[in-house]
Amino acid sequence: MKIKYSIVIHGGAGAIPKNVPEKDKKIYLDALEHILKFGNDLLSSGRTALDTAELVVRRFEDSPLFNAGKGAVFNSEGRNELDASVMDGRDRSCGAVTCVTRIKNPVTLARIVMEKSSHILLNGQGAETFAKENGMKFVRSSYFFTQKRYDQWLKLKEKNQTALDHSSGLTNSAKGTVGCVVKDSYGDLAAATSTGGMTNKKYGRIGDTPIIGAGNFADNSTCAVSCTGTGEEFMRTVAAYEIHALIKYKKLNLQQALDHFTSTVLKADTGGLIAVDRKGNHAYSFNSKGMYRGAADSNGFFEVKIWE
Amino acid sequence: MKIKYSIVIHGGAGAIPKNVPEKDKKIYLDALEHILKFGNDLLSSGRTALDTAELVVRRFEDSPLFNAGKGAVFNSEGRNELDASVMDGRDRSCGAVTCVTRIKNPVTLARIVMEKSSHILLNGQGAETFAKENGMKFVRSSYFFTQKRYDQWLKLKEKNQTALDHSSGLTNSAKGTVGCVVKDSYGDLAAATSTGGMTNKKYGRIGDTPIIGAGNFADNSTCAVSCTGTGEEFMRTVAAYEIHALIKYKKLNLQQALDHFTSTVLKADTGGLIAVDRKGNHAYSFNSKGMYRGAADSNGFFEVKIWE
């Protein structure tokens, strides 16, 4: 049966240990299920791909369980620096922000950049000035604080290490980025991605999340993609756009494109991608131990997963 | 005859009026010729593609004629904010910096990011901290000052406009970005790009120059590319990587790929690209009125041009 709408979400990829306590596992699976159902309901009630992708990523940002918005990891100065991007598959409109510190929902700021500025990527204080002029909600930086992330940071800081939170070795900490890709009932695609980056990151490092074509991409003619994992690898491989090119020019189907990419292009143990195509097919692929993820569609498909 | 090495440079694209005074035209053509000869000599003496691309872009940065390094345009706060990137076609190593304000040669900092950090893109003060730790040369921000750029900025500021310097309407001001792509005698490719961005730019706007796959890309298997013009269009189209994909998957040759891109993908009057492929073929293509550019190779080809 033809798929009317379809949604895929991820809450990060990494070396998620399989022996996590059942109750911790349940907390994450419940959160994924809850967010996926929220997105699925939006789509079934006729919301657009762009609205759905943004609103779903806001839910991830508002949850302290995932590394985006509240619950973001700390940088080397003990601050939370947030990146996000959004892309509309209809005309490739896109917006992104990097290194913002006082915006509750960076993904919504990314959308406002897309819709109300002539630019695509705004940075730090400049992005926040733009946010203020556009009536965005600001929070104190303490809003992003969670004890777990702070303890992770202190531990890494002592060792002077930089890490995606999944590599900190802590149970339940494998959540590099969050993202959502959607095909709506009007046939349009959209992608949204948001992150707090790497724990103890230094030097104003910018990863793949706010980079169109690397961590996030959507084009109605092919697919919508969101990535998670070691950002530098997704930047070097121009990952999200490579999926588009494999479909458009190499004529692979969606799952083939993702599998080809994670098995032959992406360095081992880097992370993963989620995607939908214009027919509403969904796909995940990852070469890390696990990826928090889920997918649902208008035909009643609904699943959330962490490992295989 | 087989091409041993090949180099292409650009000094920006835009609405360069054809009626510029002969003496001004000569100043730019002489500068392009001088810089191109410098790069060609490096290659003939056996320097690598990566060294040559970096050293040529440093020359552009040191010249007050072009919008990169000294001579960069002013942002809305009356400051010079510089972006640069570099990519090695051998293994897709890459490095980039954005919004640095006190680094004499941002392209060299981009190379140091590539070689000495685990990251690809560093931002603002963080990038400068990294630069300091790696012994980079700092300058006062007044080093970047040129009266002409300052006057351009004052003029736009009064009108509250943002512009690539080519759209400021001033003679001889069409120089969005600078770049160099090289195929060396060892068969390796490299690309380097540097810019001061748009005059009167606001909100910490980041353009395509520091974005791998948008304004700059190199892969030995296909080509090295550098872009110039309205950055947002090159980001939305993932321009440099699209050229790679058109060659790799659509089997176009280099000139076909560039022409296809500027005529059917890139919005009219946006700018242009330069490229070399692994056989040493060179190509330019632009859909703006003009592009400061030049190309030379081991077979004695040598030209510098502004219009057709």
Side-chain angles (χ1 to χ4, degrees):
Chain A
M1 195 162 60
K2 209 180 141 211
I3 302 166
K4 234 176 101 186
Y5 60 79
S6 179
I7 175 170
V8 195
I9 60 172
H10 72 75
I16 310 167
K18 283 201 178 177
N19 58 354
V20 291
E22 279 303 316
K23 84 167 180 4
D24 293 346
K25 202 167 108 182
K26 190 172 175 333
I27 289 171
Y28 278 94
L29 287 172
D30 284 354
L32 288 170
E33 195 177 310
H34 186 81
I35 292 172
L36 183 61
K37 186 174 179 313
F38 169 71
N40 194 58
D41 289 349
L42 289 173
L43 287 167
S44 77
S45 72
R47 292 298 285 265
T48 64
L50 188 62
D51 281 354
T52 304
E54 179 204 344
L55 293 170
V56 162
V57 168
R58 283 178 69 108
R59 286 281 168 116
F60 274 119
E61 288 176 341
D62 292 345
S63 164
L65 296 172
F66 302 96
N67 177 21
K70 183 162 184 70
V73 299
F74 287 81
N75 73 5
S76 66
E77 291 160 3
R79 295 200 310 162
N80 306 102
E81 265 179 350
L82 310 168
D83 300 342
S85 63
V86 66
M87 192 159 189
D88 183 340
R90 288 176 297 182
D91 59 358
R92 288 207 196 172
S93 296
C94 46
V97 292
T98 184
C99 299
V100 297
T101 60
R102 296 179 298 154
I103 304 296
K104 183 169 182 278
N105 289 110
V107 71
T108 296
L109 180 54
R111 182 165 176 183
I112 295 174
V113 170
M114 175 179 103
E115 292 178 343
K116 304 211 171 155
S117 88
S118 56
H119 301 315
I120 289 175
L121 177 54
L122 301 184
N123 179 14
Q125 288 187 347
E128 293 187 353
T129 301
F130 175 81
K132 193 169 285 174
E133 290 177 13
N134 284 278
M136 281 284 297
K137 178 159 184 173
F138 277 63
V139 290
R140 285 168 189 260
S141 55
S142 61
Y143 163 79
F144 300 106
F145 179 90
T146 55
Q147 191 65 44
K148 192 177 76 177
R149 298 293 188 205
Y150 193 72
D151 292 344
Q152 281 176 15
W153 171 63
L154 285 178
K155 202 168 164 179
L156 277 171
K157 197 173 165 65
E158 267 170 32
K159 293 193 269 179
N160 197 24
Q161 284 179 345
T162 308
L164 290 176
D165 44 352
H166 63 68
S167 47
S168 66
L170 297 179
T171 306
N172 283 340
S173 58
K175 297 156 283 326
T177 307
V178 306
C180 178
V181 295
V182 181
K183 185 245 170 197
D184 65 23
S185 47
Y186 316 102
D188 296 323
L189 305 182
T193 307
S194 181
T195 191
M198 303 168 90
T199 300
N200 207 29
K201 67 182 175 187
K202 287 167 82 172
Y203 308 128
R205 174 257 188 190
I206 299 176
D208 64 317
T209 298
I211 309 294
I212 299 304
N216 197 68
F217 187 75
D219 185 322
N220 272 6
S221 73
T222 54
C223 59
V225 182
S226 173
C227 305
T228 174
T230 307
E232 280 72 11
E233 287 305 307
F234 294 98
M235 295 165 82
R236 209 174 57 77
T237 57
V238 198
Y241 198 76
E242 171 69 1
I243 301 300
H244 159 84
L246 288 170
I247 294 171
K248 183 164 183 181
Y249 301 128
K250 221 189 169 186
K251 308 294 179 193
L252 300 190
N253 71 34
L254 191 73
Q255 189 67 55
Q256 285 170 340
L258 264 67
D259 290 343
H260 171 80
F261 182 78
T262 52
S263 63
T264 69
V265 179
L266 201 62
K267 220 168 77 180
D269 273 328
T270 293
L273 311 85
I274 60 169
V276 288
D277 69 13
R278 62 210 181 94
K279 291 184 181 154
N281 296 305
H282 75 267
Y284 336 98
S285 193
F286 56 99
N287 67 11
S288 49
K289 284 225 178 77
M291 174 160 77
Y292 294 104
R293 66 198 189 279
D297 69 27
S298 57
N299 288 348
F301 182 89
F302 190 101
E303 74 172 16
V304 294
K305 285 183 156 188
I306 304 179
W307 301 282
E308 301 78 40
Chain B
M1 195 161 60
K2 208 179 140 210
I3 301 166
K4 235 177 102 187
Y5 59 80
S6 181
I7 175 171
V8 195
I9 60 172
H10 72 76
I16 310 168
K18 283 199 178 178
N19 58 353
V20 291
E22 280 303 315
K23 84 168 183 359
D24 292 346
K25 202 167 108 182
K26 190 171 175 338
I27 288 171
Y28 277 93
L29 287 172
D30 283 355
L32 288 170
E33 193 177 312
H34 187 80
I35 291 172
L36 183 62
K37 186 174 180 313
F38 168 72
N40 194 58
D41 289 350
L42 289 173
L43 287 167
S44 77
S45 73
R47 291 299 282 266
T48 63
L50 188 61
D51 281 355
T52 304
E54 178 203 345
L55 293 170
V56 163
V57 168
R58 283 177 70 108
R59 286 283 169 116
F60 274 118
E61 288 176 341
D62 292 345
S63 164
L65 296 173
F66 302 96
N67 177 20
K70 184 164 183 68
V73 299
F74 288 81
N75 72 5
S76 66
E77 291 160 1
R79 296 199 311 163
N80 307 102
E81 265 179 350
L82 310 168
D83 299 342
S85 62
V86 67
M87 191 158 191
D88 183 339
R90 287 176 298 184
D91 59 0
R92 288 207 196 173
S93 296
C94 46
V97 292
T98 185
C99 300
V100 297
T101 60
R102 295 179 300 153
I103 304 296
K104 183 169 183 279
N105 290 109
V107 70
T108 296
L109 179 54
R111 181 165 177 182
I112 295 173
V113 169
M114 173 178 103
E115 291 177 344
K116 304 212 170 153
S117 88
S118 56
H119 301 314
I120 289 175
L121 178 53
L122 301 184
N123 180 14
Q125 288 187 348
E128 292 187 352
T129 301
F130 175 81
K132 193 170 286 175
E133 289 177 15
N134 284 278
M136 281 285 296
K137 179 160 182 172
F138 277 63
V139 290
R140 286 169 187 261
S141 55
S142 61
Y143 163 80
F144 300 106
F145 180 90
T146 55
Q147 191 65 45
K148 192 177 74 178
R149 299 293 189 206
Y150 193 72
D151 293 343
Q152 280 175 17
W153 171 63
L154 285 179
K155 202 166 163 180
L156 277 170
K157 197 174 166 64
E158 267 171 34
K159 293 192 268 179
N160 198 24
Q161 286 179 344
T162 309
L164 291 175
D165 45 349
H166 62 69
S167 46
S168 67
L170 297 180
T171 305
N172 283 338
S173 57
K175 297 155 281 333
T177 309
V178 306
C180 178
V181 295
V182 181
K183 186 245 169 197
D184 65 24
S185 48
Y186 315 103
D188 296 324
L189 305 183
T193 307
S194 181
T195 191
M198 302 167 91
T199 300
N200 207 30
K201 68 182 174 185
K202 286 167 84 172
Y203 307 129
R205 175 256 186 189
I206 299 175
D208 63 316
T209 299
I211 309 295
I212 299 304
N216 197 69
F217 187 75
D219 185 322
N220 272 7
S221 74
T222 54
C223 60
V225 182
S226 173
C227 305
T228 174
T230 307
E232 280 72 12
E233 287 305 307
F234 294 98
M235 296 164 83
R236 209 174 57 78
T237 57
V238 198
Y241 197 76
E242 171 70 0
I243 301 300
H244 159 84
L246 288 170
I247 295 170
K248 184 164 182 180
Y249 301 127
K250 219 186 170 189
K251 308 295 179 191
L252 299 190
N253 71 34
L254 191 71
Q255 189 67 55
Q256 285 170 339
L258 265 68
D259 289 342
H260 171 80
F261 182 78
T262 53
S263 63
T264 69
V265 179
L266 201 61
K267 219 167 80 180
D269 273 328
T270 293
L273 312 85
I274 60 170
V276 288
D277 70 13
R278 61 209 183 94
K279 291 185 181 154
N281 297 307
H282 75 266
Y284 338 97
S285 194
F286 55 98
N287 67 11
S288 48
K289 284 226 178 76
M291 175 160 75
Y292 294 103
R293 65 199 189 277
D297 69 29
S298 57
N299 288 350
F301 182 89
F302 191 101
E303 73 173 16
V304 294
K305 284 182 157 188
I306 304 177
W307 301 280
E308 301 78 39

